[in-house]
Amino acid sequence: MQQNNSEKLMSAIGAAKKFGRFYCKIISANDADLTGAHQAGIYIAKQAWHIFFEEKGRKGENKDKFIKVYIEGYIPFESRVIYYGKGTRNEYRLTRFWNQSPFHKEEQVGNLIIFIPVDHENFKVWILDTEEEIELFLNTFSLSIMENHAVYDEGTIKDIDLSAKLEQEIEKVSALFNDFPETIQLAETARKVHKCVYKKKAFSPDHILLEWVKTEYNVFRAIEKNVYKDYLTKPFNDLETLITVANSVLNRRKSRAGKSLEHHVDFLLTSYNIPFSHPGKSEGNKKPDFLFPSNDAYANFSFPETDLIFLGVKTTCKDRWRQILNEADRIKEKHLLTLQQGISPNQLDEMAAEKVILVVPKPYHSFYPAAYQHRLWTIEKFIQFAEEKYS
């Protein structure tokens, strides 16, 4: 019998804590064979080699092994983990998974897949398919999926590649905080840290937004470690205190992420002198994330509707994209800026039918099905669109 979502999530978190090691990633269009690249199987990041193999793959050699996959509620089956090291290839993949699993691979794009090694040959696997489940799992282990994958190994996390200089600057700045700053101050701190390290390097709007978000996540994680250091070194005297602290940690991780992206988008748009209101104000008490050129223009019915722009901002939008549909009735075509790494073809068709245009950082376009990538806007394209309208 298949589990419901909350049981599935708790089971995945419980197993991840019990075994202490896992690899997880957002399933991309490439993993589901929707890019036309003819590269079969689920891509495994190089940083996760030790989750699947006892020895790292060597360039110039191919190697493989069979593992048994256990998905709760289904019959165990064998899959094949391969390292391709010959020729120009240098990658790990998991094959013989989709055709034996109970999942329709095309519908899994954007979902989180988790591999937990019980031992070298046996793996428990979960796929989480709602934003709430995915966020709670990632927040439980303080993971970022900004680079599409995360490796967790007895508390050691490999999820974002940072330069040594940026890591040093983050450590230095985070040590100044004895408590958590407001989200807007945290966002400002991250941008200052990044500018201090990369003062001479030019970034496109698409890349700089990702850089700011990645930097902020690591600043937050470093501050969190500093603020909670006493809890990490001293035992809890009672269960209630432990539960209270754990809930506080999870709630803060969850609330930071959504606001973080809005703060950075606000700063980015301001730097291009684009007029907007944030938050917006539309019908009744509705508060769209961003209205262009202003709330006053939206409220003025003599202002042309064709000159109004709506921009929603959501870190992920698999389920939540529908929330924006009735947030500004005067604007029929709505833009939604997201860091979502891939969405299934069915969901993309539903968005198109509702006149929702996704604005996705350019580096993430490759995670979407190839046949749909032309529909995506880059952040740079959205900025040019707004500049042309209000110049």
Side-chain angles (χ1 to χ4, degrees):
M1 186 179 72
Q2 192 167 1
Q3 295 178 301
N4 66 38
N5 283 347
S6 58
E7 286 176 345
K8 182 172 65 175
L9 172 64
M10 290 303 111
S11 180
I13 289 173
K17 287 180 176 176
K18 177 183 176 182
F19 293 101
R21 302 171 72 227
F22 62 84
Y23 170 65
C24 65
K25 66 170 296 181
I26 299 292
I27 298 169
S28 70
N30 180 280
D31 297 320
D33 303 328
L34 291 172
T35 59
H38 307 297
Q39 292 172 320
I42 297 170
Y43 176 80
I44 297 168
K46 292 186 185 71
Q47 294 95 319
W49 69 265
H50 64 290
I51 298 291
F52 297 91
F53 284 104
E54 292 182 63
E55 290 184 9
K56 195 174 182 178
R58 293 181 188 173
K59 198 78 181 74
E61 298 176 9
N62 290 349
K63 71 171 181 175
D64 69 341
K65 67 181 276 192
F66 285 89
I67 61 170
K68 186 155 268 190
V69 173
Y70 296 82
I71 297 169
E72 289 191 4
Y74 297 96
I75 300 166
F77 59 88
E78 279 197 335
S79 282
R80 186 180 178 213
V81 190
I82 308 175
Y83 169 69
Y84 295 102
K86 289 185 177 178
T88 56
R89 296 182 74 177
N90 178 22
E91 65 182 33
Y92 296 86
R93 288 202 176 250
L94 179 76
T95 64
R96 303 186 190 182
F97 179 83
W98 294 122
N99 61 349
Q100 299 188 80
S101 79
F103 307 108
H104 297 291
K105 62 184 177 183
E106 294 83 4
E107 292 307 308
Q108 302 311 312
V109 178
N111 292 343
L112 183 75
I113 189 165
I114 305 155
F115 297 93
I116 301 176
V118 176
D119 52 41
H120 289 300
E121 276 76 42
N122 298 284
F123 283 73
K124 289 179 176 283
V125 175
W126 279 265
I127 291 183
L128 303 181
D129 56 9
T130 71
E131 285 169 273
E132 199 172 335
E133 288 178 322
I134 292 168
E135 284 174 5
L136 187 50
F137 184 87
L138 296 176
N139 286 334
T140 297
F141 298 96
S142 191
L143 304 175
S144 166
I145 217 80
M146 290 286 297
E147 292 180 1
N148 190 247
H149 64 263
V151 181
Y152 184 92
D153 194 347
E154 303 293 351
T156 301
I157 297 168
K158 292 180 183 175
D159 54 0
I160 295 179
D161 291 324
L162 298 177
S163 70
K165 195 172 180 184
L166 186 56
E167 276 189 0
Q168 288 166 7
E169 193 63 28
I170 287 170
E171 288 297 323
K172 189 168 75 178
V173 169
S174 62
L176 304 174
F177 293 90
N178 296 315
D179 202 355
F180 292 97
E182 293 293 317
T183 54
I184 193 163
Q185 188 189 349
L186 188 64
E188 287 171 0
T189 301
R191 290 193 298 269
K192 285 176 183 172
V193 165
H194 190 271
K195 190 173 183 180
C196 174
V197 174
Y198 297 106
K199 48 179 87 73
K200 292 181 181 177
K201 188 172 178 181
F203 290 87
S204 71
D206 292 79
H207 283 86
I208 196 62
L209 187 66
L210 289 177
E211 287 287 315
W212 289 338
V213 174
K214 287 177 189 176
T215 303
E216 185 190 322
Y217 195 92
N218 284 275
V219 171
F220 174 78
R221 199 148 59 182
I223 292 173
E224 188 179 61
K225 200 178 285 185
N226 195 41
V227 170
Y228 289 115
K229 62 178 181 286
D230 287 344
Y231 291 109
L232 296 172
T233 54
K234 296 174 187 174
F236 285 93
N237 293 321
D238 61 90
L239 190 60
E240 288 305 313
T241 307
L242 172 61
I243 292 169
T244 301
V245 172
N247 286 338
S248 171
V249 170
L250 278 175
N251 289 335
R252 184 174 281 106
R253 287 174 181 174
K254 186 176 179 180
S255 64
R256 180 207 63 84
K259 286 292 175 192
S260 152
L261 186 57
E262 281 188 45
H263 294 321
H264 294 306
V265 170
D266 185 310
F267 184 84
L268 184 63
L269 294 170
T270 301
S271 72
Y272 281 88
N273 298 312
I274 295 169
F276 63 88
S277 290
H278 171 227
K281 186 180 187 310
S282 58
E283 294 76 16
N285 292 318
K286 293 174 186 172
K287 291 185 177 178
D289 295 327
F290 292 85
L291 276 183
F292 303 74
S294 66
N295 289 340
D296 288 342
Y298 187 88
N300 178 4
F301 280 87
S302 63
F303 190 88
E305 290 184 354
T306 53
D307 289 338
L308 296 170
I309 302 175
F310 170 102
L311 180 67
V313 173
K314 294 187 184 298
T315 50
T316 58
C317 66
K318 265 169 43 60
D319 315 317
R320 297 172 185 147
W321 66 271
R322 290 180 182 83
Q323 293 171 357
I324 72 170
L325 295 180
N326 65 351
E327 286 186 347
D329 296 342
R330 292 187 67 195
I331 305 171
K332 304 307 176 202
E333 195 171 67
K334 293 180 168 64
H335 292 82
L336 176 56
L337 189 153
T338 184
L339 304 182
Q340 179 75 47
Q341 296 173 30
I343 297 177
S344 72
N346 280 352
Q347 286 176 307
L348 289 166
D349 284 335
E350 286 177 31
M351 289 181 181
E354 296 287 357
K355 295 185 167 57
V356 172
I357 297 172
L358 282 184
V359 182
V360 180
K362 180 66 175 167
Y364 288 175
H365 284 212
S366 63
F367 296 130
Y368 286 74
Y372 292 80
Q373 288 177 18
H374 69 282
R375 295 185 189 176
L376 305 175
W377 282 32
T378 61
I379 295 168
E380 188 163 13
K381 182 175 179 177
F382 177 82
I383 287 172
Q384 288 168 352
F385 170 68
E387 281 181 324
E388 286 168 13
K389 208 173 273 289
Y390 305 122
S391 60

